[in-house]
């Protein structure tokens, strides 16, 4: 495999404070040849030493993908993607002999995560949070493995789980999001490189927060991670993902798939702080974030809760959803999405009420600034058998400046008379009164906007685990820098 | 020593002339009442002193501690020590009173070269100041002015004033919308904050506030100009004879 | 059946009868329209705007374009006449002069059957007829444009305040052939004029036909139009309609509709604002039972500053009925100070009923007040119990709550014959409630 000509390090750009994670780690990487065909799919599967059934599954997905069209219904505009002009696999060179402990991890990688505020040394700051670090296509380190093993919790790269827990992976992979689901989910099914696997056994309350930190580093590389979380009966797990990427002029594709399965009385809390590179002020570069996330409450009394803070990416297309199959199951979606400069986001959720007495809550806060376009798109569906289903949806949009857009597209489909579905939406701007009031109390304009925006998002931010709530608040402020004159 | 010096101030809003040559000298520790009917330009004066956008100074100057404030942003003026208690305090949903004040207090302390307060010291400080205004803890935790009664809002304004320790406080119709009890609590709070290092401009339509906050000087504003000036007895005269005595037609009665 | 198979009979009919349609000067417009219909085909759920309404049953049924018909003896429409209104009756797509009842029309007002207005080439048609409601992307409007034969042209001169309501009754009687009628209405309101205009759609019980109506409305500066629509088609019939209103400065357009009829119906209202200070209200009540399907779709374009729109839609569904609400509000970048709200509430009375709602907002201006809300649910059990505990029988209690729920629609009408007409229609529907 010939490595691509590495683009010159863009340190000048990294110095800009708009996006402080824009640096590139200079590390030897191994790439699959550019482009996509069955051989690439075989290559990726071979690299991971996968069993035959998984290769077959990938190939079926790939063949299905070839028959599909890119979806065009979202309120986002971007040039056509040339799927042959990207690398589908990139890995730090020493991945061949996978490090057995943190001591063996390339110090450059550790340094990278250090710079991102994610120290991987177990004694470091993020005590109480186990981290799986995914660098381009592979997982480079997982912390607190021992402690989790003692509790019976499986937390490892999915490539490893295929080897160590094949029966679990085989049982659940693709059962929430089949490879036929949509264009990007099919693509992911064919070429996913790594991601995280979590299994929490019956009755276990996971002793710590689990977290995966995704980092795209290599140029011209798509990232296709796949996450699978299974919470067995009566268990509980809280999981968080964070992501960043270097500042590059070309657009990079991120098409992840996340599947959550909550069995009876189980609860999964899934939080995302998405801070992929959003592109520059002219809209050049940035990540295309086309992600499929769905959870199914398979057992009675189960609960899945999504919280997302979307501040990055040039284009975001994602709808973390809940299928509420079990009676009395609960789905929640809390979202903050910010678009500034030329960012576009079309995001929301689907709540599918199947079981009796199921409940869902949707709180969405969209903030548009600059020339940003922000769309909430959501579906609430109550099937005929969903007696006593309840949904409450609150969608609020905040506009900053008069060149941005805020759109709300709720779909409500109810086939059961004993349901209650409520949807409310408002649109507002930061009033001059509020700005002046804050300034009169000593805050400068940017501090004032940041404060008001954080207040606007409060209902969502309070759902984040403590460690990340503070980070998220700062991010909101940074993302909106320069949005007021 | 002169704290604030306003000279021949002319101000227009949307091309319409509102203030037509205001002259005002305020010394340290002095309390000046500005009285006038609706539409006389009282609020404009408070906004132009605190730096609100949209108020164009067409002529004249404002010096605060000898410095030209017209060059300063509203937050810089706040840092310098100018505080405006709003006639209509603004609601900021989702932001708790405490978070808001911590941000403000530390911004102002920064501007004054003082060290920022950490969370514990800030809370101590807030509780201490809160007692002056009989502020319940619950009120401190609620979002800024959201769901506050009229009286609570005005009390919150004076509480913030206590926290930010201005050298010049402008009270813009602080009495409007207050019942007798609320008026008492608010004015007692203001009186506790009186000191030789703090001057105040008390803007009001009615005399009754000045029974509680007794001014050193009274200025009567009409059509953008001071038409009469004197001591506290001037306010009583106004109360007795009404604005008509000064050839001013009073506007619609103010909503209580 | 391919798309072509569905459109072909209409295209063939057009070749046959186009020469008999009024107005040689419209020949090009008509033939362009039929080409467009042929190219676009019937709308399908694959188009987002028709996501929830499937016209398969309509397209499979196959309809014949109604020709000129003689005077009818049927008078099933008579009970829908509004007291004190001037009425124009159109039977099977033809003007029925003997059934129509026009009082003295004030100077400055003209009311004419469309066919006559077209033949005379009335000046008020110029730049308006077929121009207010464009056919692009609207194949059913195109089909109407191709075949429009009858309807009404109402013109109000400047400052005319028309006291008596004008009611147009579209009636289709039972017949052996499955008729399709394509009525077209044009309402031009001059500066500071005002009027109440009622469109009533009704058919013989049990008859299968298709009404495909287009109504074009221009509301001049400061003018005020109340547009009431009563859709009481045969329960076997089909109804598709599009109303497009264009509002000038300070104009006021209130549209109030009550839907109880048709097997499948679609009522689309589009409003565009051409001047500041204009205001639009769209209120719609839909009462369905059996296997009825009704779709209310709106598209409001705020293009200029300082305009307001308010949408209030209430649906009550019994049996296996299906209601659709698709509310569209677009606020363009220049439309600062727009005030817009839309609300859609649905009550499901039975386990087979289905409500789909999609209140959509697209906002490109920051200084606006926009809100929307939607709910779906059943009748409030506590309220029902409360009423019963006060001695009101269950059936009556249910009716009371439904009447209260739907009252927001009649509340959009001031007191008078028109309001009574709507209230009575709601009560009549309730009579048959299980």
């Amino acid at each position: 495999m010939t490595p691509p000509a590495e683009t010159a390090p863009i340190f000048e750009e990294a110095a800009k404070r708009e996006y402080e994670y824009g640096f590139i780690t200079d590390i030897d990487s191994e790439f699959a040849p550019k482009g996509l065909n069955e051989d690439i799919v075989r290559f990726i599967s071979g690299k991971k030493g996968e069993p035959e059934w998984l290769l077959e599954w990938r190939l079926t997905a790939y063949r299905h993908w070839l028959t599909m069209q890119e979806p065009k219904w979202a309120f986002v505009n971007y040039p056509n993607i040339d799927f042959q002009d990207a690398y589908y696999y990139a890995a730090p060179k020493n991945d061949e002999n996978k490090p057995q402990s943190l001591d063996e991890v390339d110090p450059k990688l550790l340094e990278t995560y250090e710079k991102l505020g994610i120290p991987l040394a177990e004694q470091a700051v993020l005590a109480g949070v186990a981290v799986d670090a995914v660098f381009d296509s592979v997982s480079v380190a997982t912390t607190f493995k021992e402690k989790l093993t003692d509790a019976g919790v499986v937390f490892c790269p999915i490539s490893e789980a295929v080897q160590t827990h094949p029966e679990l992976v085989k049982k659940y992979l693709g059962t929430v999001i089949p490879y036929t689901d949509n264009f990007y989910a099919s693509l992911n099914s064919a070429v996913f490189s790594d991601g995280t696997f979590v299994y929490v056994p019956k009755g276990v309350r996971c002793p710590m927060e689990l977290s995966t930190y995704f980092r795209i580093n290599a140029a011209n590389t798509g990232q296709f991670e796949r996450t699978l979380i299974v919470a067995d009966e009566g268990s509980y797990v809280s999981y968080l993902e964070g992501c960043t990427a270097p500042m590059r002029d070309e657009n990079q594709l991120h098409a992840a798939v996340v599947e959550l399965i909550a069995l009876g009385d189980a609860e999964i809390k899934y939080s995302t702080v998405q801070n992929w590179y959003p592109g520059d002020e002219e809209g050049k570069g940035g990540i295309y974030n086309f992600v499929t996330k769905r959870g199914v409450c398979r057992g009675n009394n189960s609960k899945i809760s999504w919280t997302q803070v979307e501040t990055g990416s040039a284009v975001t297309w994602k709808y973390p959803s809940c299928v509420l199959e079990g009676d009395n199951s609960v789905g929640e979606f809390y979202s903050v999405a910010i678009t500034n400069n030329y960012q576009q986001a079309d995001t929301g959720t689907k709540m599918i009420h199947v079981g009796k007495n199921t409940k869902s809550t949707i709180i969405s806060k969209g903030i548009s600034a600059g020339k940003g376009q922000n769309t909430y798109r959501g579906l609430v569906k109550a099937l005929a058998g969903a007696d006593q289903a309840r949904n409450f949806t609150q969608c609020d949009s905040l506009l900053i400046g008069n060149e941005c857009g805020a759109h709300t597209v709720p779909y409500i489909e109810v086939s059961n008379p004993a349901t209650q579905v409520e949807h409310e939406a408002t649109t507002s701007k930061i009033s001059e009164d509020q700005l002046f009031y804050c300034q009169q109390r000593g805050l400068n304009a940017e501090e004032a906007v940041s404060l008001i925006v954080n207040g606007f998002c409060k209902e969502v931010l309070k759902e984040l685990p403590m460690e990340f709530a503070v980070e998220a608040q700062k991010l909101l402020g940074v993302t909106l820098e320069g949005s007021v004159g | 020593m002169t704290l604030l010096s306003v000279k021949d101030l002319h101000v227009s809003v949307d091309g319409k002339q509102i203030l037509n040559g205001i002259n005002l000298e305020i010394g340290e520790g002095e309390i000046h009442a500005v009285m006038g009917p609706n539409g006389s330009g009282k609020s404009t004066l408070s906004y132009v002193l605190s730096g609100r956008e949209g108020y164009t100074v067409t002529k004249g100057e404002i010096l605060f501690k000898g410095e030209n404030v017209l060059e300063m942003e509203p937050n810089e003026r706040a840092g310098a020590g100018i505080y405006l208690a709003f006639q209509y305090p603004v609601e900021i949903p989702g932001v708790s009173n405490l978070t808001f004040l911590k941000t403000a207090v530390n911004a102002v302390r920064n501007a004054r070269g003082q060290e920022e307060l950490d969370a514990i010291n800030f809370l101590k400080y807030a509780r201490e100041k809160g007692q002056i205004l009989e502020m319940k803890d619950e009120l401190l935790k609620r979002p800024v002015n959201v769901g506050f009664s009229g009286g609570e809002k005005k009390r919150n304004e004076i509480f913030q004033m206590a926290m930010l320790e201005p050298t010049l406080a402008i009270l813009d119709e602080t009495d409007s919308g207050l019942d007798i009890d609320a008026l008492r609590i608010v004015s007692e709070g203001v009186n506790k904050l009186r000191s030789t290092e703090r001057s105040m401009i008390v803007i009001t339509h009615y005399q009754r506030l000045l029974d509680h906050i007794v001014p050193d000087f009274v200025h009567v504003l009409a059509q953008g100009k001071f038409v009469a000036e004197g001591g506290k007895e001037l306010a009583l005269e106004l109360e007795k004879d009404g604005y008509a005595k000064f050839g001013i037609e009073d506007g619609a009665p103010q909503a209580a | 059946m391919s798309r072509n198979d569905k459109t072909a009979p209409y295209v063939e009919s057009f070749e046959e009868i186009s020469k008999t349609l009024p107005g040689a000067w419209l020949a090009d417009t008509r033939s362009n329209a039929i080409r467009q219909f042929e190219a676009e085909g019937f709308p399908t759920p694959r188009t987002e705007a028709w996501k929830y309404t499937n016209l398969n049953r309509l397209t499979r049924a196959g309809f014949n374009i109604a020709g000129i018909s003689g005077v009818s003896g049927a008078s099933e429409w008579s009970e829908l006449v509004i007291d004190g209104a001037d009425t124009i009756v159109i039977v099977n797509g033809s003007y029925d002069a003997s059934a129509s009842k026009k009082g003295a029309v004030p100077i400055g007002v003209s009311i004419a059957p469309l066919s006559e207005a077209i033949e005379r080439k009335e000046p008020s048609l110029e730049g308006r007829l077929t121009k207010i409601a464009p056919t692009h992307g609207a194949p059913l409007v195109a089909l109407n444009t191709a075949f429009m034969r009858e309807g009404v042209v109402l013109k109000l001169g400047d400052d005319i305040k028309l006291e008596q309501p004008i009611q147009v009754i579209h009636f289709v009687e039972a017949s052996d052939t499955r008729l399709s009628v394509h009525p077209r209405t044009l309402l031009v309101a001059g500066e500071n004029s005002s009027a109440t205009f009622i469109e009533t759609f009704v058919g013989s019980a049990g008859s299968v036909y298709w009404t495909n109506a287009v109504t074009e409305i221009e509301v001049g500066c400061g003018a005020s139009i109340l547009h009431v629509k009563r859709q009481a088609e045969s329960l076997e019939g089909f109804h598709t309609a599009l109303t497009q209103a264009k509002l000038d400065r300070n104009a006021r357009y209130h549209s109030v509709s009550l839907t109880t009829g048709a097997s499948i119906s679609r009522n689309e209202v589009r409003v565009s604002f051409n001047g500041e200070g204009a205001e639009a209200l769209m209120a719609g009540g839909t009462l369905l039972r059996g296997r009825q399907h009704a779709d209310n779709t709106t598209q409001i374009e705020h293009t200029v500053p300082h305009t307001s729109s308010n949408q209030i839609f209430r649906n009550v569904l019994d049996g296996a009925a299906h209601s659709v609400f698709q509310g569209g509000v677009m606020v363009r970048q220049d439309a600062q100070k727009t005030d817009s709200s839309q609300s859609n509430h649905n009550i499901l009375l039975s386990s087979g009923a289905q409500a789909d709602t999609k209140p959509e907002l697209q906002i490109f201006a920051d200084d606006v007040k926009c809100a929307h809300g939607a709910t779906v649910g059943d009748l409030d059990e506590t309220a029902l119990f409360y009423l019963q505990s006060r001695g009101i029988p269950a059936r009556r209690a249910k009716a009371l709550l439904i009447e209260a729920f739907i009252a927001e629609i009649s509340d959009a009408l001031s007191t008078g014959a028109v309001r009574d007409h709507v209230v009575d229609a709601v009560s009549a529907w309730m009579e048959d409630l299980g």
Side-chain angles (χ1 to χ4, degrees), chain A residues 433-434 437 441 443 458, chain B residues 52 75 84 91 94 157 160:
Chain A
D433 280 345
Q434 286 175 324
Y437 191 70
R441 298 299 183 256
L443 280 65
K458 189 167 189 189
Chain B
R52 181 160 203 163
N75 49 308
L84 171 64
E91 298 182 0
E157 290 297 288
Q160 292 181 24

Side-chain angles (χ1 to χ4, degrees), chain B residues 119-137:
Chain B
I120 295 164
N121 281 318
F122 171 77
L123 211 60
K124 233 173 87 184
Y125 180 61
R127 291 242 162 85
E128 196 180 293
K129 298 286 183 186
Q131 276 170 4
I132 303 177
L133 273 299
E134 300 173 31
M135 293 286 282
K136 285 184 226 112
D137 263 19

Side-chain angles (χ1 to χ4, degrees), chain A residues 436, chain B residues 4 6-7 9-11 13 18-24 26 32-35 40-52 55 57 61-62 70 77 82 84 168 170 172 201-203 219-221 224-226:
Chain A
F436 176 63
Chain B
L4 178 78
V6 178
K7 286 193 187 118
L9 185 68
H10 288 68
V11 176
V13 179
I18 307 288
L19 296 183
N20 302 301
I22 296 281
N23 291 291
L24 182 62
I26 296 182
H32 290 243
V34 173
M35 300 183 69
S40 56
K42 300 193 299 288
S43 285
T44 299
L45 180 62
S46 72
Y47 285 145
V48 78
L49 288 172
S50 52
R52 181 160 203 163
Y55 294 79
V57 174
E61 62 174 13
I62 305 173
L70 295 178
R77 298 187 200 194
I82 297 178
L84 171 64
L168 175 66
I170 306 157
D172 188 1
I201 301 175
V202 181
I203 294 175
H219 312 261
V220 179
L221 184 64
K225 276 183 123 152
F226 288 146

Side-chain angles (χ1 to χ4, degrees), chain C residues 75-87:
Chain C
S75 63
E76 286 150 287
W77 48 268
S78 58
E79 57 193 64
L80 293 172
V81 172
I82 287 171
D83 289 346
D86 283 0
T87 51

